[in-house]
Amino acid sequence: MLRENNDMVFGLSETCEAKLLHPEILTGWVFNTQRYSLHDGVGIRTVVFLKGCPLRCEWCSNPESQSGKPEIAVDVRKCLGSTDCGLCDSQCQTAALSYAPTGEICLDRNLCSNCLACTTHCPTQALHGFGEQMTVRQVLDIVESDSIFYRRSGGGLTLSGGEPLMQGAFTLAVLKEARRRRVNTLLETCGDGNWSDLRQIADYTDAIYFDVKSLNDERHRQFTHRGNRRILSNLLQLGKTFPRLPIHVRTPLIPGFNANWEDIRAIIDFISPLPQVSYEILPYHRLGRDKYRLLGREYFPKEQPLSDDVSADIIQRAKALFGERYGAPAT
């Protein structure tokens, strides 16, 4: 289990602070860059997904984001087999690769160093890596290539994950460079990080999407493997310190965890006093299910998904209550 307070993970060290002045040398681990997104902020946006997350949510749709290091995905359905190919295992320095009796490649993740050398020799991408080291400048050059769409739609850059606070120095440097280039920015966060880091980062973002999954610390720990006290404290601090910063709170509706009116109402009661806050419930989906197979992990759904009727009822009641409490509709 991850530790509750890990300053070595979250902190902005003096070395990293010095590198903030040189975006050409500061690097971060990125596992995906999604252009032309319409669902991660206002307008057309480029979403940069950073690796590393302190939470281990049972339903996570991006399991490849959780580790801060690169990982290898294995899709045996694409493997040509030892007879027709066999190019990858000779590249492995830890003897982590072998072949099943049927010929498909097998990866022993206990031996694998995730060096990704084998992935460069796989012609079908049966082996491929999640994670690429990029400089601040490389990220912003990709983002800025679509600047014409941002100007027309009010869009920009969204930093997501994983959890951007896990790479605090890199996140801050990207946001600073984006502001220098006059690119609108948005941060998506679970809120589990050092407040000092979040405060610095919030100074350079135009809006924040902040996940609140549950107010019940015990159940939050059960389903995410972390407590929620620092998350909720950081949210309150954000509202107090940045009263003009738009904060969009989101709650994924998860069967067996928080998919009931009592939990949702408690969250609305908690966030209603915050200035510049809006609220959204994210319906449960299984879009990340196949990634677990590629990473050799078991997928969450221990219970059946919610029916559309149940989801719609909770969402409608949440919109009505939030509008009543805050004077504005939830999305």
Side-chain angles (χ1 to χ4, degrees):
M1 182 178 293
L2 299 178
R3 289 181 291 176
E4 281 295 317
N5 294 292
N6 191 336
D7 293 338
M8 293 181 65
V9 172
F10 292 109
L12 287 165
S13 68
E14 292 181 3
T15 302
C16 289
E17 287 281 17
K19 289 181 179 179
L20 290 176
L21 301 175
H22 304 282
E24 71 278 3
I25 63 173
L26 181 60
T27 61
W29 284 100
V30 178
F31 73 89
N32 190 22
T33 301
Q34 181 177 309
R35 300 167 68 186
Y36 315 121
S37 175
L38 298 173
H39 304 290
D40 295 273
V42 176
I44 298 173
R45 309 191 73 84
T46 299
V47 186
V48 177
F49 295 88
L50 304 182
K51 280 188 68 65
C53 184
L55 304 184
R56 293 294 182 269
C57 300
E58 298 284 349
W59 61 88
C60 180
S61 60
N62 291 321
E64 75 277 24
S65 73
Q66 295 175 354
S67 172
K69 300 177 181 179
E71 292 179 276
I72 295 178
V74 182
D75 192 346
V76 296
R77 297 176 301 186
K78 295 181 178 180
C79 182
L80 298 176
S82 56
T83 302
D84 294 329
C85 182
L87 296 175
C88 59
D89 64 330
S90 62
Q91 305 302 315
C92 184
Q93 302 299 311
T94 62
L97 290 174
S98 61
Y99 292 98
T102 51
E104 292 90 356
I105 196 68
C106 298
L107 175 66
D108 186 335
R109 295 185 182 275
N110 292 321
L111 297 177
C112 181
S113 64
N114 289 303
C115 68
L116 305 185
C118 60
T119 64
T120 62
H121 291 77
C122 181
T124 63
Q125 290 194 315
L127 298 175
H128 63 274
F130 287 124
E132 176 185 3
Q133 204 164 21
M134 300 180 68
T135 66
V136 173
R137 185 159 295 165
Q138 286 176 319
V139 170
L140 264 298
D141 286 348
I142 293 173
V143 171
E144 209 168 31
S145 66
D146 291 326
S147 59
I148 186 172
F149 299 107
Y150 310 150
R151 287 194 296 269
R152 292 179 176 178
S153 68
L157 162 68
T158 296
L159 276 183
S160 187
E163 173 48 61
L165 295 178
M166 289 287 281
Q167 299 188 58
F170 185 70
T171 294
L172 181 58
V174 168
L175 293 173
K176 283 186 173 182
E177 180 65 9
R179 177 159 295 183
R180 189 186 71 81
R181 299 191 189 194
R182 299 183 180 181
V183 175
N184 177 275
T185 58
L186 186 149
L187 177 77
E188 292 185 331
T189 180
C190 73
D192 194 347
N194 284 337
W195 164 246
S196 59
D197 291 2
L198 182 56
R199 185 187 63 230
Q200 292 181 70
I201 288 168
D203 264 327
Y204 289 91
T205 187
D206 296 300
I208 290 182
Y209 276 22
F210 198 111
D211 287 357
V212 176
K213 300 172 176 68
S214 175
L215 296 190
N216 186 311
D217 183 73
E218 181 179 347
R219 288 186 62 73
H220 194 281
R221 191 182 303 274
Q222 177 186 354
F223 281 82
T224 73
H225 300 270
R226 297 276 286 190
N228 64 8
R229 294 178 183 176
R230 177 156 65 172
I231 293 170
L232 300 179
S233 174
N234 282 342
L235 178 57
L236 294 178
Q237 286 272 45
L238 267 181
K240 180 180 178 181
T241 309
F242 300 93
R244 297 184 179 180
L245 178 66
I247 301 173
H248 186 62
V249 176
R250 300 184 300 182
T251 301
L253 204 60
I254 307 301
F257 172 49
N258 64 2
N260 60 80
W261 177 237
E262 290 74 20
D263 279 348
I264 298 303
R265 178 167 187 150
I267 292 172
I268 294 174
D269 289 343
F270 181 82
I271 69 172
S272 293
L274 295 172
Q276 293 295 317
V277 68
S278 53
Y279 184 59
E280 180 181 10
I281 293 176
L282 304 177
Y284 174 71
H285 64 74
R286 298 186 177 191
L287 297 181
R289 184 175 188 175
D290 199 49
K291 298 177 184 178
Y292 288 80
R293 177 182 62 82
L294 299 179
L295 293 170
R297 302 182 195 173
E298 183 181 354
Y299 186 57
F300 158 70
K302 302 167 185 176
E303 300 192 20
Q304 293 298 315
L306 295 174
S307 70
D308 291 340
D309 290 342
V310 173
S311 295
D313 177 66
I314 293 177
I315 291 171
Q316 285 302 117
R317 293 173 73 180
K319 287 181 177 181
L321 180 60
F322 188 82
E324 173 188 318
R325 294 290 174 83
Y326 196 73
T331 58

